[in-house]
Amino acid sequence: MLQKARIHPFSLLIALISYKTGKSKRGIKWIPNDAVLKALDSAFYLTFEMVPSTEKRYLLAVNISESMYNDNVNGCGNISPATAAAALSLVTARTQRQCEIIAFTDDVVPVTIAADMKLTDVETAIKSARPRTGLVDCSMPMQYAIKYKKEFDTIIVYTSNDNNAGYIHAMEQLNVYRTTSGIHVKLIVCAMSSAGFSIGDCDDAAVLLVPGFDTDAPTVMNDFVMQ
């Protein structure tokens, strides 16, 4: 039934979190049923199998500043950018054959996600990567790829309202990476609690800017990667 419905895991996560709160935006309240919670949780992991492989090489970069934990995602209600980023990272790590994940603020720390990890485990792994201090520099993912001569087809930055360009603009670093690697890498910037951007170039056809986030965004991002 899940396969026929073509439901993305993120949609089920939003349903799970919304149901777990026990109230709706219209003020309707209920007592969450344990059987329903378990069913939604089980369905969340089952739908990973329905996410198609793009055969692309991914770098997922997750901002771990305080705003990722204190803000809410615009368009998704009661979920924090940190939880959303962890869920999306887990989905990509499980469904794509080549995926590397890093946590960043003004530096970068690699994060290892095992295939048998649950979402809470991934959240802990990302959060404990390093103290959430320092200036948020969204050029760090590109600097990391350049420094270690990594080969990626797609770089996805998960951030909140922090899109500071740092000392070197993220787009400048992206173009340096493209030149040095010979790969016309695509960049997706998900600023989950922001209504605007400062690090992406709207005139670059290989850059996708996602202000806020909703259940349609994963499909849009997948289509963009496959273009």
Side-chain angles (χ1 to χ4, degrees):
M1 290 175 65
L2 290 169
Q3 187 174 20
K4 185 177 180 180
R6 301 180 66 180
I7 298 175
H8 191 277
F10 190 73
S11 296
L12 280 163
L13 178 63
I14 296 304
L16 172 59
I17 292 174
S18 298
Y19 180 74
K20 194 174 183 178
T21 62
K23 60 182 179 180
S24 71
K25 293 181 179 179
R26 296 181 179 180
I28 300 173
K29 296 183 179 180
W30 60 85
I31 298 174
N33 182 287
D34 286 342
V36 175
L37 289 171
K38 290 179 180 178
L40 287 170
D41 183 70
S42 177
F44 169 67
Y45 293 103
L46 284 172
T47 49
F48 282 31
E49 299 178 11
M50 289 56 154
V51 178
S53 174
T54 63
E55 301 300 324
K56 303 296 184 181
R57 298 165 294 185
Y58 287 85
L59 173 63
L60 309 182
V62 182
N63 172 6
I64 52 171
S65 67
E66 290 292 345
S67 61
M68 291 290 286
Y69 300 87
N70 298 333
D71 294 345
N72 284 331
V73 175
N74 291 341
C76 284
N78 296 319
I79 185 171
S80 70
T83 297
L88 293 163
S89 297
L90 178 58
V91 172
T92 304
R94 280 201 184 184
T95 60
Q96 308 303 322
R97 291 194 297 176
Q98 299 184 67
C99 174
E100 191 167 341
I101 301 172
I102 58 174
F104 76 94
T105 50
D106 58 347
D107 198 0
V108 169
V109 176
V111 177
T112 300
I113 294 181
D116 60 347
M117 276 187 171
K118 295 295 185 179
L119 177 57
T120 52
D121 299 326
V122 175
E123 290 184 89
T124 300
I126 293 174
K127 186 175 183 179
S128 61
R130 55 152 290 158
R132 299 187 303 280
T133 58
L135 175 72
V136 176
D137 184 350
C138 286
S139 72
M140 278 294 156
M142 282 63 80
Q143 292 187 48
Y144 170 79
I146 294 167
K147 180 179 179 180
Y148 294 101
K149 298 181 180 180
K150 300 284 187 174
E151 294 184 346
F152 300 112
D153 301 303
T154 302
I155 297 174
I156 303 179
V157 178
Y158 292 116
T159 184
S160 52
N161 57 0
D162 290 320
N163 41 40
N164 189 299
Y167 297 106
I168 304 175
H169 200 281
M171 284 303 302
E172 181 181 336
Q173 289 294 86
L174 181 68
N175 290 327
V176 170
Y177 175 70
R178 287 171 173 171
T179 300
T180 56
S181 68
I183 304 170
H184 193 62
V185 64
K186 291 184 176 180
L187 172 65
I188 301 175
V189 183
C190 298
M192 295 180 169
S193 58
S194 173
F197 290 91
S198 64
I199 69 169
D201 184 356
C202 295
D203 294 325
D204 189 324
V207 175
L208 175 65
L209 308 179
V210 185
F213 209 85
D214 62 16
T215 54
D216 292 323
T219 301
V220 173
M221 291 165 61
N222 186 76
D223 292 344
F224 174 75
V225 169
M226 293 301 295
Q227 286 179 351

